[in-house]
Amino acid sequence: MNTSNKLTLLMTLFALLLASKASAQNNTSRQDSLRIDSIAVNAHKTGLAFYKSGVYYQALDNYLLALSLQKDLNNTGAMFRLYEDICNAYFYINDYLMMKQYASEAVEYAQETNMIMPEAGFSLHVADASKNAKDSLAAETAYAHAYTLFQQIGDTMQMATVFNNKASLYGIDSPKKLASFQAAAHLLEVPPVDKKKQERLYHIYANIGDWYENQGDYQEANRYFQKSIEMAQATGNPRIEIFLYSHLAENYLKRGDLNRAKQLSLQTVALIDKHIGPNHTFDVALKVLGKVYEAEGNYRAAYNSLQKWSAVNDSLQKRNRQTEINKIEQRYKYESYRQDKLNEQNLELERKKASITNLRITLVGLITACILLIIIGTLIYLYSRKLKMKNRELYLQIKNQDFLVSKVEEKELTILASQPDTESSKSAKLYLSLKELMESEQLFKQTDINRKKIATLLGTNEKYLYDAVRENTDCSFNEYINRLRIRYARQLLTSEENLTIDEIAFLSGFGSKVTFYRNFREHYKLSPSEYRRLAIEEIVEKTN
């Protein structure tokens, strides 16, 4: 398998590994999302239970935990529901700055997600919170923004709510207050006037009546009070009537209209006895009735009414005290549980985050390793290619050198044959004799061949033989023998493919494989195996 195939195989294996890791990550991420969503839903449900019980601080703890988890999941619907519940909880504990903070956060998120309805609703929350926090300028701006959005949606009820809530920004005698109430009423009076509009209108009419009463315009006040009563009766909700009659009875008492105050008080008490019973919270009518009886001189009836009012008040106070005690007790018991739960959930989240971080680090490491392998593989491929080209050039140079050497030797033989017998020609002829002997007998293949044996065979002495070799080859006798052996080894490398390198080394006259490798590489700058590979490639190319 060549280098490029190995590189392709490595890259394929790493691609499969990365795909497997990515699939495992997706499955783990999906399971983690489901678990986090389950935790968030349970926290929200627990918060709603606390909220209904009046334990608003515990409710907020659960809401905020659920919100942080839903943010991680980017669950838009659940986030808006939680923002709504958080704003309501902060409203009931009178923390208007925190209510404004979370309402503003919800407005920003609604703008990011391009959802007009939630933006409008939470803009109204921002306005109400700013108003209660005594920030009139911010409230004005938020009310205007909310009204514009509700107008785009076409929600008449909410537009009227904006005007009604905005009215409390102004002083009790301010014309702006009256204008806001009247604008709200005008929006709700447009047919059809359904039950929801009636429930809203009775309250707005009563507010308008209060405004006229504060101005001393009792005729206009009575007109709106009567409209308020009619609208309350139209709702069919006795609690609304009770609340309204109690409020109006107290107003008429302050005004000195004892008959009207008594009438409304009696109506209120009758509705309470009919629909609610003795355990009620509407105690204002009893107080008003007692004051009316006192003004009429009916002290027994006044005493009975005030006694009943006092009993209701005492019951309410006792109940309120017990409610506060229960809240603190619940807070005390739940605090340790909540903290343990939060710590457990935080640890779980940290573990998941750490797992995700480790997975990311692993993926980055794998990608980096893959890139490094690709770079290293590319460098190895380029180096291998360059080395092959260089060896190819060396092989061609060797072939060309062989051709030139053969031509030179032929020319030298011709010249030497024609020269007269002189000292220099004797040396050359001795060299030629040596060459012929080596070609015919191939004595160089003998590992124990030496200069003395060859000199004896040529009928000369060692010194003459050494000088003849030195003068005609510019190398020593041993170097000359090694050249013959290397040249013969080259022939075997090309022609005898079945022979191993070790066998060729010994057949060529080398005493060891190491000596053969060293001499071959020094002479040709190539290893024997590389030379054989190039020679075989050349033969294949010529065959094709």
Side-chain angles (χ1 to χ4, degrees):
M1 184 180 292
N2 58 33
T3 306
S4 61
N5 289 337
K6 289 180 181 178
L7 179 61
T8 303
L9 179 59
L10 281 173
M11 291 175 67
T12 304
L13 290 173
F14 270 99
L16 291 172
L17 180 61
L18 288 174
S20 175
K21 286 283 185 181
S23 177
Q25 182 187 16
N26 289 336
N27 291 334
T28 303
S29 177
R30 193 178 301 109
Q31 292 173 358
D32 289 345
S33 298
L34 291 174
R35 285 197 292 268
I36 293 172
D37 182 64
S38 177
I39 294 171
V41 170
N42 289 333
H44 193 181
K45 289 180 179 178
T46 305
L48 290 172
F50 280 122
Y51 181 83
K52 290 178 181 179
S53 302
V55 189
Y56 301 118
Y57 288 102
Q58 282 88 341
L60 277 168
D61 288 339
N62 283 272
Y63 290 158
L64 294 173
L65 171 62
L67 179 62
S68 67
L69 296 174
Q70 295 293 8
K71 282 182 178 178
D72 291 339
L73 297 175
N74 199 24
N75 193 339
T76 302
M79 287 171 63
F80 282 130
R81 289 192 293 272
L82 282 162
Y83 276 125
E84 181 69 29
D85 292 337
I86 289 168
C87 289
N88 291 335
Y90 277 121
F91 176 80
Y92 278 106
I93 63 175
N94 301 324
D95 192 343
Y96 303 118
L97 291 178
M98 291 302 296
M99 176 183 174
K100 180 181 178 180
Q101 175 183 325
Y102 280 95
S104 300
E105 187 176 306
V107 169
E108 291 177 2
Y109 184 67
Q111 290 171 343
E112 289 175 6
T113 54
N114 197 27
M115 301 179 73
I116 298 179
M117 180 64 80
E119 183 183 355
F122 286 107
S123 294
L124 183 57
H125 281 320
V126 171
D128 290 338
S130 300
K131 176 187 69 178
N132 291 323
K134 309 302 180 185
D135 189 351
S136 300
L137 182 60
E140 286 270 13
T141 304
Y143 278 130
H145 182 62
Y147 181 82
T148 302
L149 293 173
F150 284 127
Q151 193 175 38
Q152 291 178 13
I153 299 168
D155 192 334
T156 306
M157 286 287 292
Q158 289 296 77
M159 291 164 64
T161 301
V162 170
F163 279 121
N164 184 63
N165 294 5
K166 183 180 177 182
S168 56
L169 278 175
Y170 310 116
I172 194 170
D173 297 328
S174 173
K176 290 183 178 180
K177 192 180 194 71
L178 176 63
S180 291
F181 284 137
Q182 289 177 333
H186 178 72
L187 287 167
L188 296 174
E189 287 168 347
V190 176
V193 180
D194 56 17
K195 186 174 180 178
K196 288 185 178 180
K197 288 185 177 181
Q198 290 169 350
E199 291 178 352
R200 192 68 57 85
L201 275 170
Y202 98 86
H203 184 66
I204 294 173
Y205 286 150
N207 287 335
I208 295 174
D210 287 340
W211 189 88
Y212 279 115
E213 186 173 36
N214 289 325
Q215 300 298 313
D217 190 345
Y218 300 122
Q219 182 178 355
E220 196 66 15
N222 289 339
R223 186 170 74 86
Y224 275 99
F225 287 151
Q226 186 58 40
K227 290 178 70 173
S228 180
I229 290 171
E230 292 172 359
M231 201 58 64
Q233 291 172 341
T235 64
N237 188 337
R239 288 182 174 272
I240 289 177
E241 293 183 65
I242 291 168
F243 176 82
L244 180 60
Y245 293 164
S246 298
H247 174 73
L248 295 180
E250 193 169 28
N251 280 357
Y252 281 117
L253 178 63
K254 291 177 183 177
R255 195 192 301 175
D257 189 344
L258 298 180
N259 290 332
R260 188 64 171 148
K262 183 179 180 180
Q263 178 190 352
L264 289 170
S265 296
L266 290 171
Q267 285 180 296
T268 304
V269 173
L271 286 170
I272 289 172
D273 291 339
K274 180 180 179 181
H275 297 287
I276 300 176
N279 296 321
H280 61 85
T281 59
F282 302 99
D283 58 334
V284 175
L286 294 171
K287 181 179 70 172
V288 172
L289 194 58
K291 293 293 184 181
V292 171
Y293 284 137
E294 182 183 1
E296 291 177 344
N298 189 350
Y299 297 111
R300 178 177 291 279
Y303 174 79
N304 290 335
S305 296
L306 292 175
Q307 274 289 101
K308 191 175 181 180
W309 172 65
S310 176
V312 173
N313 270 340
D314 289 344
S315 176
L316 286 175
Q317 289 175 5
K318 182 179 180 181
R319 191 161 60 195
N320 289 339
R321 283 195 301 270
Q322 189 59 46
T323 300
E324 289 299 318
I325 292 171
N326 290 339
K327 284 182 181 180
I328 298 300
E329 184 181 11
Q330 288 175 352
R331 180 77 179 186
Y332 173 74
K333 289 180 179 179
Y334 182 71
E335 186 61 33
S336 58
Y337 165 77
R338 181 191 68 84
Q339 193 61 47
D340 292 342
K341 197 71 175 177
L342 284 175
N343 290 339
E344 182 182 339
Q345 290 169 352
N346 288 335
L347 286 173
E348 181 67 13
L349 288 174
E350 289 298 325
R351 185 192 66 78
K352 290 173 182 175
K353 289 178 180 178
S355 176
I356 292 170
T357 301
N358 291 336
L359 185 57
R360 287 176 179 169
I361 292 172
T362 303
L363 286 174
V364 170
L366 286 173
I367 292 169
T368 304
C370 190
I371 292 171
L372 288 174
L373 282 174
I374 292 171
I375 293 172
I376 293 171
T378 304
L379 292 175
I380 291 172
Y381 171 75
L382 293 174
Y383 175 76
S384 175
R385 184 178 177 185
K386 185 177 180 181
L387 183 62
K388 286 181 179 180
M389 292 176 64
K390 180 181 176 182
N391 291 342
R392 188 73 175 176
E393 290 176 359
L394 287 171
Y395 177 78
L396 294 175
Q397 289 176 7
I398 293 169
K399 299 289 287 184
N400 292 333
Q401 186 178 2
D402 287 345
F403 177 75
L404 293 173
V405 168
S406 63
K407 291 295 181 183
V408 170
E409 286 180 349
E410 288 177 6
K411 189 174 182 180
E412 286 179 346
L413 289 172
T414 304
I415 294 171
L416 289 172
S418 62
Q419 284 183 355
D421 290 338
T422 61
E423 289 297 326
S424 59
S425 65
K426 289 180 180 180
S427 174
K429 289 179 179 180
L430 180 58
Y431 169 69
L432 290 175
S433 298
L434 172 64
K435 187 174 181 182
E436 290 175 358
L437 179 64
M438 287 299 175
E439 288 177 355
S440 60
E441 301 295 332
Q442 294 185 337
L443 298 175
F444 58 82
K445 294 194 294 183
Q446 300 176 15
T447 56
D448 59 347
I449 192 68
N450 56 46
R451 190 171 56 190
K452 182 177 181 180
K453 288 182 180 181
I454 294 175
T456 302
L457 291 172
L458 293 174
T460 184
N461 59 43
E462 292 182 47
K463 183 178 186 308
Y464 287 152
L465 181 60
Y466 181 85
D467 291 340
V469 172
R470 173 67 70 181
E471 290 175 7
N472 290 277
T473 63
D474 294 329
C475 64
S476 67
F477 178 80
N478 289 335
E479 289 173 347
Y480 171 73
I481 295 298
N482 280 338
R483 285 183 183 180
L484 294 176
R485 288 170 174 170
I486 289 170
R487 187 177 297 179
Y488 181 71
R490 276 178 51 208
Q491 295 175 5
L492 295 178
L493 287 169
T494 305
S495 59
E496 302 294 336
E497 296 182 13
N498 294 328
L499 293 176
T500 64
I501 303 294
D502 291 355
E503 290 171 339
I504 290 173
F506 289 109
L507 289 174
S508 302
F510 287 100
S512 69
K513 178 182 176 181
V514 175
T515 306
F516 172 56
Y517 264 85
R518 186 182 68 250
N519 282 276
F520 197 94
R521 183 173 288 280
E522 286 178 357
H523 195 74
Y524 294 119
K525 310 302 181 186
L526 289 173
S527 67
S529 57
E530 184 66 16
Y531 181 86
R532 169 177 268 182
R533 185 186 67 78
L534 292 168
I536 292 171
E537 286 182 359
E538 184 183 34
I539 294 170
V540 172
E541 288 175 3
K542 288 180 178 179
T543 304
N544 294 335

